[in-house]
Amino acid sequence: MEYEAQWPVYLPITDLLTLEFHLMDTRPDMKPDAFVAQLVKRWLAAETERLALRKNGTAMQGFQWKNVFLPDGTSLRTSYSNIVEFAKVHGKAILPPYS
């Protein structure tokens, strides 16, 4: 196991004991410090994404095909052996136009 530096975080004892008793009932194998560390990591990931969205706007979705990016909503038409097919980019996938 690799050493990981830690820093104490102080909580009111009643909150810590409530958390510890709750974890005993719901997740007996998890310690309060590991639970709080996991909770903080998840919160930081969500907060970082929220701030990035506020700063940069929503990420553009679409489909990357070779070196061509097809944005969400792009209509496609292909033909092969005299058969013509239509599709549309929905999110990150190419689907039939009426799905």
Side-chain angles (χ1 to χ4, degrees):
M1 191 164 152
E2 196 172 306
Y3 171 75
E4 184 177 3
Q6 295 184 351
W7 190 265
V9 175
Y10 300 101
L11 298 172
I13 192 71
T14 55
D15 294 341
L16 179 62
L17 289 174
T18 303
L19 174 62
E20 195 161 11
F21 290 137
H22 178 75
L23 290 175
M24 281 184 205
D25 292 338
T26 59
R27 299 179 185 185
D29 57 331
M30 183 167 276
K31 299 289 182 198
D33 54 345
F35 179 79
V36 171
Q38 183 183 59
L39 189 64
V40 168
K41 285 178 187 176
R42 287 176 31 196
W43 178 83
L44 281 172
E47 187 69 8
T48 302
E49 183 177 341
R50 187 184 68 78
L51 290 175
L53 284 174
R54 186 187 317 162
K55 181 179 177 184
N56 304 325
T58 57
M60 181 179 280
Q61 289 197 0
F63 185 83
Q64 184 74 40
W65 178 70
K66 297 186 180 184
N67 58 350
V68 176
F69 179 74
L70 305 169
D72 186 25
T74 301
S75 297
L76 303 169
R77 178 187 179 276
T78 63
S79 62
Y80 180 76
S81 297
N82 294 325
I83 299 173
V84 177
E85 296 286 340
F86 295 91
K88 193 165 190 167
V89 177
H90 292 279
K92 296 180 179 180
I94 296 176
L95 302 172
Y98 303 109
S99 63

